[in-house]
Every structure is written in structure tokens, then in C-alpha cells.
């Protein structure tokens, strides 16, 4: 099954910034797990923040969903993207689960812990490769391709382009004519510029809170689906409507000294108040958890005795009300 995506308006505006650039395909350090069986969706429904039953519903079901798996305290354990592989509701449900490759073993153990007697099989997919596809200014995607298993819009935000799942060793030039294999560091720089967290560096297991991590902005949570592990704190925070901290993209005037800014480095206001903590970054770009009350102020961090300035920004793809 190949799903063709249409370039959305927000993505088109970003593409114009890559004037003349070809479609870039980035190999991702993410793993894929196959979750297959009659109860696959029902099984995942109780473990993830999003409504997984959408993937196997009749009619216009989405090909991909973003979600988090939470611990019982309501903090993020794993960020995942789910993909529907079966072509129709008449087929046995087959869902691919994308996760950070460093937690592949632990997420398998997590799933099997709750599997009990469910009619579900869980197995890695080492024969498949996962790619992020960021289009060029005038690029288009094919309607069909033999070597692609799935080509679908990234469910988190329009600015993230597409996700491509193909067989290992597939020829990307045949799947997406005129495309080029890009440096994955450029993909991460794009993510940080857009404020999109991904993986354990950006979302530390057992520490990150889903709503502070903008899960609702990235279509990653259902507030009507019913119970799942970690739901209580998330639902209470949502209904109270008070979120004082959020992950935001941050920019340094120039790359900070040293190989990287240590995760958890305090971010301070000019007066020395703690405004938040740095999570991860690439060169002069990064992502940080900041108190919204200080997000528009001049900010700095202290590295090796030096004061390094940085600024936070609000992503253009955020809902308009949230950007105020």
C-alpha cells in the first residue's frame, strides 16, 4: 500500500525557503516494530495517548498517528508514530510502530508486559528502512512505487513533510525521482528550527510531560478515547487549562562553544531567574523547556564560565491562539 501526500500550505512556504533544492530523504535512527493480530489496535489503545482504533476504522482512516506511551505518573516513556499496513478492514490489523532505536528492547518489554492473552504478535522489522522526506520547492511524489511500503504525511505537523517506509536497500531515486539522500543532521536541524521533539534526548523517558511537550499541538492525543496508562494527570492538566512550560525552539547567535550544550543546562533570564532547561540541539539551533512567562525575554546559559545568549521563538505551525 502506498499513500500519496499533498504538499500543504505551511509546508509550501517552508519549501520556498529551499528554493531550487531537491527533495531530501533522510535515513532515520528509528526502529520499527510490527504489532499484528485481531486485537492489535485494542491492545495499543490502552497504552498510548492517541485513539489507535482510528487506524483500523472503516472509511477514511488515517494512515499514520502520533502518540506517546506514558508511565503511571503520566510522564512520557516513548514517542511513537503508528502506521496502518493492512489495505482494508477485512484484513487482519497490521500496525507498524516507529520508536527511537535506543529504546527498541525496552519498548518491546513494555508492550509484552501488558500483552497478557491478547491475540497479538510483536516483532522487530529489521528488513525495513525508515526515511524522513522533506520536499523541495517544486517537488511532487509518485502515485505508486514498487519498492515503497508506505509514503504518508508526517502526522505531527505539516512542516515535517512525509515519512517513507521501504524495504532495506530500496532505490530511493526510483521511489521519488529526483530526490537526494540528505545528511540526517540537517533533518535534526530542521526539527529543532520547527520545535519538533523526537527521541529520548528531546523527550527524556520518565521526565517529559506530554502537554508541556506540545503533544496536543502535534495531533498526538485524544481527550475522548477513554482510559490509558498515565491518563489521569494529562486529563487533569488539560481540563484545568494551565500549562506554564512548553518545549520551544531556541537559537544561539552563533554555535555555542564545545561539542554540545549539556542536556539539562539551566536557561536564565538577564536578571538571573531560572527560565527553563536546555534539552538538545544541533549547532546554533536547539529545543528547550521554558516557562512561558519568560519565553519572550532575553535569555542566556552559562558554559565554562562564559555567558552565552540565546532566544526562544514560537513556531509558525502552532495554533494561532497558542502563539500569543
Amino acid at each position: 500500500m502506498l499513500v500519496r501526500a499533498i504538499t500543504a500550505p505551511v509546508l509550501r512556504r517552508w519549501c520556498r525557503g529551499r528554493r531550487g533544492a531537491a527533495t531530501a530523504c533522510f535515513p532515520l535512527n528509528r526502529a520499527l516494530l510490527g504489532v499484528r493480530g485481531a486485537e492489535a489496535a485494542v491492545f495499543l489503545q490502552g497504552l498510548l495517548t492517541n485513539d489507535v482504533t482510528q487506524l483500523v476504522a472503516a472509511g477514511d482512516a488515517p494512515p499514520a498517528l502520533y502518540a506517546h506511551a506514558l508511565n503511571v505518573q503520566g510522564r512520557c516513556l516513548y514517542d511513537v508514530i503508528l502506521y496502518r499496513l493492512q489495505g482494508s478492514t477485512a484484513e487482519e490489523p497490521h500496525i507498524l510502530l516507529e520508536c527511537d532505536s535506543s529504546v527498541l528492547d525496552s519498548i518491546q518489554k513494555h508492550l509484552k508486559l501488558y500483552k497478557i492473552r491478547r491475540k497479538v504478535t510483536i516483532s522487530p522489522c529489521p528488513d525495513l528502512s525508515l526515511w524522513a522526506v522533506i520536499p523541495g520547492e517544486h517537488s511532487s511524489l509518485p502515485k505508486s512505487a514498487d519498492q515503497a511500503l508506505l509514503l504518508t504525511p508526517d502526522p505531527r505537523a505539516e512542516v515535517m513533510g512525509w515519512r517513507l517506509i521501504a524495504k532495506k536497500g530500496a532505490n530511493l531515486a526510483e521511489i521519488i525521482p529526483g530526490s537526494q539522500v540528505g545528511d540526517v543532521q540537517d533533518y535534526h536541524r530542521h526539527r529543532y528550527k520547527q520545535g519538533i521533539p523526537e527521541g529520548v534526548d528531546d523527550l527524556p523517558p520518565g521526565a517529559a510531560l506530554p502537554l508541556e511537550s506540545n503533544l496536543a499541538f502535534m495531533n498526538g492525543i485524544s481527550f475522548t478515547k477513554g482510559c490509558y496508562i498515565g491518563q489521569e494527570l494529562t486529563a487533569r492538566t488539560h481540563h484545568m487549562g494551565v500549562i506554564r512550560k512548553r518545549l520551544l525552539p531556541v537559537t544561539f547567535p552563533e554555535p555555542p562553544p564545545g561539542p554540545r550544550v549539556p542536556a539539562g543546562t539551566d536557561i536564565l533570564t538577564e536578571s538571573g531567574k531560572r527560565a527553563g532547561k536546555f534539552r538538545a540541539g544541533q549547532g546554533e539551533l536547539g529545543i528547550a523547556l521554558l516557562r512561558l512567562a519568560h519565553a519572550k525575554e532575553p535569555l542566556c546559559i552559562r558554559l565554562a564560565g562564559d555567558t552565552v545568549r540565546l532566544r526562544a521563538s514560537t513556531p509558525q505551525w502552532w495554533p494561532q491562539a497558542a502563539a500569543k
Side-chain angles (χ1 to χ4, degrees):
M1 179 180 72
L2 183 72
V3 178
R4 187 186 182 213
I6 306 298
T7 306
V10 176
L11 188 56
R12 286 196 197 100
R13 288 197 293 272
W14 185 80
C15 290
R16 284 196 286 269
R18 303 180 69 240
R19 199 170 295 278
T23 293
C25 300
F26 300 99
L28 300 180
N29 186 30
R30 305 273 285 177
L32 290 166
L33 273 176
V35 182
R36 190 166 194 162
E39 297 180 293
V42 176
F43 165 61
L44 293 172
Q45 181 79 339
L47 300 178
L48 301 175
T49 56
N50 216 334
D51 185 358
V52 184
T53 61
Q54 295 178 75
L55 284 177
V56 295
D60 191 20
L65 284 177
Y66 179 56
H68 285 186
L70 309 181
N71 62 17
V72 293
Q73 289 81 30
R75 295 180 181 271
C76 177
L77 287 176
Y78 316 106
D79 63 304
V80 302
I81 298 179
L82 305 174
Y83 305 95
R84 184 189 76 246
L85 284 193
Q86 76 270 19
S88 71
T89 55
E91 297 179 32
E92 181 182 63
H94 188 185
I95 296 170
L96 282 183
L97 184 150
E98 170 196 329
C99 65
D100 190 308
S101 61
S102 69
V103 299
L104 178 61
D105 289 342
S106 60
I107 198 170
Q108 285 186 85
K109 292 176 183 176
H110 179 75
L111 294 176
K112 290 177 180 179
L113 177 66
Y114 291 97
K115 178 186 169 186
I116 312 177
R117 294 186 178 89
R118 296 275 188 193
K119 295 178 180 178
V120 172
T121 59
I122 302 164
S123 58
C125 304
D127 57 327
L128 299 179
S129 60
L130 178 69
W131 300 77
V133 180
I134 304 294
E137 184 187 4
H138 300 297
S139 62
S140 61
L141 295 185
K143 293 183 179 179
S144 62
D146 292 339
Q147 298 184 71
L149 189 63
L150 189 74
L151 180 58
T152 182
D154 189 310
R156 297 171 296 182
E158 294 172 354
V159 292
M160 292 307 297
W162 295 275
R163 275 315 209 238
L164 167 66
I165 298 174
K167 294 178 181 178
K168 277 276 175 68
N171 188 335
L172 292 187
E174 292 181 7
I175 298 174
I176 306 175
S179 64
Q180 297 177 353
V181 175
D183 185 338
V184 72
Q185 300 306 323
D186 290 336
Y187 165 76
H188 293 306
R189 286 175 57 82
H190 174 59
R191 281 199 308 103
Y192 290 133
K193 187 174 182 180
Q194 301 299 337
I196 302 284
E198 183 178 286
V200 297
D201 291 338
D202 302 347
L203 299 165
L209 288 167
L211 297 185
E212 290 182 352
S213 304
N214 306 321
L215 186 63
F217 294 171
M218 294 188 289
N219 312 302
I221 188 166
S222 168
F223 295 107
T224 60
K225 62 172 279 186
C227 296
Y228 57 89
I229 294 174
Q231 177 203 19
E232 185 177 348
L233 175 63
T234 306
R236 185 166 67 245
T237 303
H238 169 69
H239 290 301
M240 289 175 63
V242 179
I243 300 173
R244 294 185 173 87
K245 294 184 287 185
R246 286 193 180 274
L247 281 180
L248 290 169
V250 293
T251 308
F252 297 90
E254 56 186 41
R260 63 170 56 193
V261 178
T265 297
D266 284 332
I267 298 178
L268 308 172
T269 66
E270 284 189 321
S271 62
K273 290 183 179 179
R274 289 185 179 178
K277 291 185 179 293
F278 188 83
R279 282 278 176 83
Q282 186 75 40
E284 77 280 8
L285 300 173
I287 195 167
L289 182 67
L290 293 171
R291 294 186 180 276
L292 296 177
H294 300 304
K296 295 183 179 180
E297 298 179 26
L299 302 170
C300 65
I301 59 174
R302 296 198 175 116
L303 290 176
D306 293 331
T307 298
V308 180
R309 300 195 178 278
L310 70 157
R311 63 178 178 83
S313 59
T314 301
Q316 292 185 357
W317 58 268
W318 275 20
Q320 191 169 2
K324 294 180 180 178

